[in-house]
C-alpha cells in the first residue's frame, strides 16, 4: 500500500464531529463515515431513484445507487494513485447523490419551483440536510454525525460556495464548514469521478435505449477517436461487443488524463497539507486543457441527444407533474402524509411546515411517489 501523500486528509487529525463520540476501534474516522452512509436509509432508497431513465423503464439502466457505486470505484482508484485517503474519497462518492429527489433532475426542478417562495430546493444542500438532520439512526443525535472533512466535501466538492442555499446555510450557522475555501483533494477527485462516470455511462445507457447510435456518436471527437482505435484493434468484432470496450476505454482515457493534469498541478503547488489544497485558490484536481473541450463536447451531445430526447422528455414531464401534484396535496392537508411526517408538519410554523413537506417528497423513490399519487388521486401517469 502506498504511503499517504502529505496533502491527503488524515483521519487521525480530523477536525472531529459536531457531537462528541469516542471513535470506533479498528476503523478510521473516515471508514466509519463511509459505513454510516452505506447503512443509511437514504443510501438504500437510491436503488429506486432515477439517474436518467425513470426506474420503471428497465432493469439495466443506471439508477442513483448503481451510478454512485460506479463513481466510488473510479474515485477510489484515482485516490490510490494520488496517495489520498481512499476511505474519505469513497464516502464522498457514495454520498454525493443522497439528496436527489425521485425522477432525477426533473423531480428537483419541480420541487425547486414549488419551494421557490420558501428558499427553493437544492440537491447538494439536501444531502447535507439528510446526513445532519433527517436520518434518525442514533439515540443521542439526529443525522449521521459525520466528520468535518466528509461534511465539507459534500458541501463544496464543486468549489467554494458564496451563496449557500437555506439548508446549507442553516447547518453552517452551527458548524462552520469554511465554504469560502476549496474542498480537500479527496472531494475534488470524487466530483470529477462523478463527471467521468455519468458522461461515459450515459453513453452506454443511451445506446441501450436506442436514443442514438454509434454512428451518431462519431461527431463527438472523444468517442470517435476511441471507436476508431478499437475498430483497428478488433477488426472482426461486432459493434455490440465493442460497445463495452468503448465505455471502458473512455473511462480509462479520462482517468489517466485527470491523473496527469492533477499530478502536474501538485508538482507546481508542492502542497504539504490538506489545508494547502484548500487554500490553493483554484482546483487542484482537473482535466488537461486538451481534454476539457472534448469532455464539454460529449456533455453537449448527451444534453441535446439524450437528456432532451422526446422520449426522455415525455417521461420527465410526467414526473414533474407527479412531484408538483404531491406537493400541493400534502401542503393542502399534511394529514395525507404518514403520522411521523404529518405530526412534524402540524407542529411547525411556516416555513418549516412547507420544508417538512419537501423533506418527505425529496426522500421518495420513483415507485413510492407513483404509488402515493395513485393512492391519493387514483391517477397513475407512469406505469409501474
Amino acid at each position: 500500500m502506498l504511503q499517504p501523500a502529505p496533502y491527503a486528509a488524515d483521519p487521525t487529525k480530523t477536525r472531529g464531529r459536531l457531537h462528541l463520540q469516542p471513535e470506533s476501534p479498528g476503523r478510521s474516522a473516515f471508514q466509519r463515515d463511509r459505513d454510516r452512509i452505506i447503512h443509511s436509509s437514504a443510501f438504500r432508497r437510491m436503488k429506486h431513484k432515477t439517474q436518467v431513465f425513470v426506474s420503471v423503464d428497465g432493469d439495466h439502466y443506471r439508477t442513483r445507487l448503481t451510478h454512485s457505486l460506479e463513481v466510488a470505484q473510479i474515485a477510489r482508484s484515482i485516490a490510490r494513485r494520488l496517495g489520498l485517503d481512499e476511505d474519505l474519497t469513497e464516502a464522498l462518492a457514495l454520498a454525493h447523490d443522497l439528496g436527489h429527489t425521485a425522477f432525477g433532475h426533473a423531480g428537483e426542478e419541480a420541487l425547486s419551483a414549488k419551494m421557490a417562495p420558501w428558499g427553493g430546493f437544492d440537491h447538494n444542500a439536501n444531502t447535507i440536510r439528510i446526513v445532519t438532520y433527517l436520518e434518525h439512526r442514533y439515540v443521542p443525535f439526529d443525522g449521521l454525525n459525520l466528520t468535518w472533512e466528509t461534511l465539507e466535501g459534500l458541501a463544496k466538492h464543486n468549489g467554494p460556495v458564496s451563496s449557500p442555499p437555506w439548508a446549507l446555510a442553516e447547518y453552517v450557522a452551527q458548524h462552520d464548514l469554511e465554504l469560502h475555501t476549496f474542498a480537500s483533494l479527496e472531494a475534488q477527485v470524487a466530483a470529477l469521478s462523478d463527471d467521468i462516470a455519468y458522461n461515459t455511462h450515459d453513453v452506454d445507457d443511451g445506446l441501450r435505449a436506442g436514443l442514438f447510435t454509434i454512428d451518431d456518436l462519431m461527431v463527438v471527437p472523444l468517442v470517435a477517436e476511441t471507436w476508431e482505435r478499437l475498430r483497428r484493434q478488433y477488426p472482426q468484432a461486432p459493434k455490440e461487443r465493442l460497445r463495452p470496450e468503448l465505455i471502458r476505454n473512455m473511462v480509462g482515457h479520462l482517468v489517466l488524463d485527470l491523473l496527469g493534469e492533477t499530478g502536474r498541478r501538485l508538482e507546481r503547488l508542492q502542497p504539504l497539507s490538506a489545508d494547502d489544497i484548500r487554500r490553493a485558490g483554484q482546483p487542484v484536481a482537473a482535466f488537461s486543457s486538451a481534454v476539457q473541450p472534448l469532455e464539454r463536447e460529449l456533455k453537449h451531445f448527451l444534453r441535446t441527444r439524450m437528456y432532451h430526447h422526446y422520449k426522455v422528455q415525455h417521461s420527465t414531464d410526467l414526473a414533474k407533474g407527479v412531484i408538483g401534484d404531491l406537493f400541493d396535496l400534502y401542503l393542502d392537508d399534511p394529514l395525507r402524509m404518514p403520522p411521523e411526517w404529518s405530526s412534524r408538519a402540524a407542529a411547525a410554523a411556516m416555513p418549516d411546515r412547507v420544508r417538512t413537506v419537501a423533506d418527505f417528497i425529496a426522500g421518495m423513490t420513483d415507485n413510492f411517489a407513483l404509488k402515493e399519487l395513485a393512492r391519493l388521486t387514483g391517477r397513475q401517469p407512469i406505469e409501474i
Side-chain angles (χ1 to χ4, degrees):
M1 183 175 177
L2 293 174
Q3 282 292 103
Y7 46 79
D10 186 345
T12 68
K13 298 177 181 177
T14 173
R15 299 195 198 183
R17 306 175 189 274
L18 180 63
H19 305 283
L20 293 178
Q21 284 184 287
E23 285 301 333
S24 175
R27 289 185 297 175
S28 77
F30 300 149
Q31 287 174 330
R32 193 182 197 186
D33 283 358
R34 177 205 56 207
D35 296 347
R36 287 183 170 189
I37 288 162
I38 288 173
H39 287 278
S40 68
S41 300
F43 185 77
R44 291 194 298 276
R45 288 197 300 270
M46 287 199 297
K47 70 179 178 179
H48 290 304
K49 287 195 175 191
T50 291
Q51 179 66 18
V52 174
F53 296 97
V54 175
S55 64
V56 299
D57 286 340
D59 293 335
H60 292 281
Y61 300 117
R62 269 88 180 171
T63 65
R64 287 287 169 198
L65 180 61
T66 58
H67 164 72
S68 296
L69 293 172
E70 290 170 337
V71 175
Q73 181 273 315
I74 293 169
R76 187 152 193 158
S77 297
I78 295 169
R80 184 172 301 174
R81 293 283 296 275
L82 294 173
L84 303 178
D85 188 280
E86 294 180 39
D87 300 309
L88 175 59
T89 310
E90 184 180 25
L92 293 168
L94 291 172
H96 79 281
D97 270 353
L98 289 180
H100 268 289
T101 66
F103 309 121
H105 289 289
E108 180 174 9
E109 289 173 15
L111 192 54
S112 184
K114 289 294 184 179
M115 285 290 292
W118 295 280
F121 176 87
D122 174 85
H123 76 266
N124 282 326
N126 193 50
T127 295
I128 294 293
R129 188 163 170 82
I130 286 169
V131 300
T132 62
Y133 173 64
L134 292 175
E135 280 285 329
H136 296 149
R137 302 186 61 80
Y138 304 93
V139 173
F141 49 78
D142 291 336
L144 302 180
N145 200 29
L146 304 177
T147 60
W148 184 93
E149 289 79 6
T150 299
L151 293 174
E152 176 221 24
L154 293 174
K156 54 182 183 178
H157 56 272
N158 290 322
V161 182
S162 57
S163 300
W166 67 267
L168 182 54
E170 190 176 77
Y171 184 75
V172 298
Q174 62 172 328
H175 193 194
D176 185 11
L177 299 179
E178 298 179 4
L179 297 182
H180 62 284
T181 68
F182 282 85
S184 66
L185 194 51
E186 285 84 356
Q188 294 181 38
V189 163
L192 289 175
S193 298
D194 181 29
D195 287 353
I196 292 171
Y198 76 70
N199 280 338
T200 56
H201 297 149
D202 284 357
V203 169
D204 192 28
D205 281 353
L207 287 168
R208 181 184 296 278
L211 302 183
F212 46 79
T213 66
I214 288 290
D215 290 339
D216 294 331
L217 280 162
M218 291 303 101
V219 299
V220 183
L222 178 62
V223 181
E225 291 167 14
T226 307
W227 183 256
E228 290 308 314
R229 185 172 67 251
L230 290 171
R231 293 294 287 173
R232 290 193 298 271
Q233 186 177 358
Y234 303 106
Q236 305 303 319
K239 285 185 177 182
E240 281 305 302
R241 288 297 296 271
L242 282 183
R243 191 177 80 194
E245 288 285 342
L246 172 68
I247 306 306
R248 184 174 66 81
N249 275 260
M250 287 169 56
V251 170
H253 181 71
L254 292 171
V255 166
L256 289 175
D257 182 81
L258 173 58
L259 284 167
E261 178 61 23
T262 303
R264 287 187 287 272
R265 294 189 180 203
L266 287 167
E267 184 66 26
R268 289 196 299 269
L269 184 62
Q270 291 292 307
L272 298 177
S273 69
D275 281 340
D276 286 347
I277 299 289
R278 294 184 176 98
R279 294 190 293 259
Q282 65 174 359
V284 178
F287 296 115
S288 69
S289 58
V291 162
Q292 285 176 16
L294 300 180
E295 195 229 4
R296 285 196 296 269
E297 288 183 65
L298 176 56
K299 284 181 175 176
H300 175 73
F301 178 90
L302 290 169
R303 185 167 55 252
T304 56
R305 296 298 299 271
M306 184 173 183
Y307 311 142
H308 293 167
H309 191 282
Y310 76 91
K311 291 182 180 178
V312 174
Q313 202 67 55
H314 175 67
S315 62
T316 55
D317 286 346
L318 292 174
K320 286 181 183 180
V322 172
I323 296 297
D325 289 348
L326 287 174
F327 184 91
D328 292 341
L329 287 163
Y330 295 138
L331 191 59
D332 176 64
D333 183 2
L335 291 176
R336 290 175 170 138
M337 296 188 292
E340 65 270 26
W341 289 95
S342 59
S343 59
R344 193 184 308 176
M350 298 296 270
D352 287 337
R353 179 177 300 175
V354 71
R355 288 172 177 174
T356 300
V357 170
D359 288 339
F360 179 53
I361 293 174
M364 291 180 175
T365 63
D366 295 10
N367 290 348
F368 183 74
L370 292 169
K371 288 176 181 176
E372 276 293 278
L373 188 68
R375 178 180 71 85
L376 295 170
T377 68
R379 292 189 292 111
Q380 194 173 82
I382 303 172
E383 289 295 324
I384 300 176

